[in-house]
Amino acid sequence: LAKMLVQVSHPFDMRHTAYLMIAKDPGPDDEFVYQPSQRLVRRVDLKNMSLLGTDYTFNDIAFKDIEDASYFRFPDEVLDDTPVYVVEANVNETIDIQYHRTRMYMEKEHYIPLRVRYWDDFGVEVKEMTASRKSIRSFGDLWVATESTMRDIRQKTSSTLHIEDVDTEPDFHPRLFSTSVLAKG
């Protein structure tokens, strides 16, 4: 369904670390990590792990195709003077996913989430992502919130993600998304 390669350039002690995720249907996703200190590629399960020490996890940024969920549309709201659709997804408990319940507040023009609330398996709200309507930019035909903040409610921490550029038509060779290329750092 999708492939994602993350190569780390900073901080210095993590330089050349790389992550490869391949979302498959059917079957579980393939996830690999290359750490230069060990000079080896390992199969891992990173979805619920912190992304480089931030409040974002790989699951928060990875491709998700959730067909086995029930969706409920709440009444529309206004969030920071912006009209939003409010949609909640409740994922089937048999699916291996970090959050089984999420509520998204999407601005109506480009369907960009301005707020996402996340609950754990016990029904406790654990995280919240917020983005400003003013940060939404166009990259070709793709609209993106270029600044978002993830807040961990339990830990009382937050991390802000800034997106500077998006290549909407990358020219990648399929071999780029392989464990052999991953090992080259």
Side-chain angles (χ1 to χ4, degrees), residues 125-145:
E125 187 173 5
V126 292
K127 288 170 77 174
E128 178 185 47
M129 186 282 301
T130 56
S132 165
R133 169 72 175 99
K134 295 175 185 174
S135 78
I136 297 175
R137 286 186 34 213
S138 166
F139 296 92
D141 292 336
L142 180 66
W143 290 87
V144 175

Side-chain angles (χ1 to χ4, degrees), residues 17 30 39 48 81 85 89 96 101 108 138 144 153 179 182:
T17 300
D30 286 333
R39 296 181 188 223
N48 301 334
D81 298 324
Y85 297 115
D96 182 24
R101 178 177 161 212
K108 294 182 174 186
S138 166
V144 175
I153 296 169
T179 56
L182 189 67

Side-chain angles (χ1 to χ4, degrees), residues 13-41:
D13 61 334
M14 294 199 60
R15 189 172 53 147
H16 303 299
T17 300
Y19 303 94
L20 173 64
M21 288 194 254
I22 301 170
K24 299 186 310 183
D25 183 29
D29 298 344
D30 286 333
E31 301 174 62
F32 303 93
V33 64
Y34 172 76
Q35 293 177 299
S37 60
Q38 297 176 351
R39 296 181 188 223
L40 108 108
V41 174

Side-chain angles (χ1 to χ4, degrees), residues 85-133:
Y85 297 115
V86 182
V87 177
E88 185 169 291
N90 291 287
V91 180
N92 184 322
E93 293 178 8
T94 62
I95 304 297
D96 182 24
I97 193 164
Q98 186 175 7
Y99 316 110
H100 282 272
R101 178 177 161 212
T102 59
R103 187 174 297 169
M104 295 169 281
Y105 300 74
M106 297 178 292
E107 59 91 25
K108 294 182 174 186
E109 187 177 354
H110 305 104
Y111 306 105
I112 303 295
L114 298 181
R115 181 180 185 204
V116 182
R117 299 169 63 195
Y118 303 89
W119 285 266
D120 67 11
D121 292 341
F122 302 104
V124 176
E125 187 173 5
V126 292
K127 288 170 77 174
E128 178 185 47
M129 186 282 301
T130 56
S132 165
R133 169 72 175 99

